[in-house]
Amino acid sequence: MNLAKISSNGQITVPVEIRRLLGLKSGDKILFLQKPNGEIVVCNASAQAIRKAQAAFSGVAEEMGVYNEDDIQALVDEIRYGKER
């Protein structure tokens, strides 16, 4: 168990073990999420944003017919040079 004390300004210092677990470094932001059961969860905001973006883009490559690096290069060539795949 890790405890943190809240300062009079509402600031906390995240214990080093938790910073390591969350992959946090100086200047990073943390996100506080409330679960439906009322529990509060602390997350690395950058990691959470990446997971959200990954979920939003899930399946898009397949819909566009992009399955490997050659397909990506063909798509880039099409955009750059107007060549069809």
Side-chain angles (χ1 to χ4, degrees):
M1 177 183 291
N2 290 286
L3 295 174
K5 185 176 179 181
I6 300 174
S7 75
S8 60
N9 292 330
Q11 298 172 325
I12 62 169
T13 299
V14 179
V16 68
E17 296 86 5
I18 303 302
R19 291 194 312 264
R20 285 183 187 142
L21 285 171
L22 294 175
L24 294 170
K25 59 188 180 308
S26 180
D28 283 352
K29 294 183 179 184
I30 56 174
L31 179 64
F32 296 89
L33 299 171
Q34 185 174 13
K35 291 183 168 185
N37 66 1
E39 182 181 7
I40 303 294
V41 179
V42 179
C43 304
N44 180 327
S46 297
Q48 183 70 15
I50 289 170
R51 285 192 290 277
K52 189 174 180 179
Q54 286 174 329
F57 289 113
S58 178
V60 173
E62 292 82 6
E63 290 174 13
M64 295 181 65
V66 176
Y67 299 99
N68 55 43
E69 289 180 24
D70 292 335
D71 292 340
I72 293 169
Q73 187 60 54
L75 184 58
V76 169
D77 289 345
E78 181 181 338
I79 292 168
R80 280 189 183 160
Y81 311 113
K83 296 180 183 177
E84 299 227 3
R85 302 195 282 160

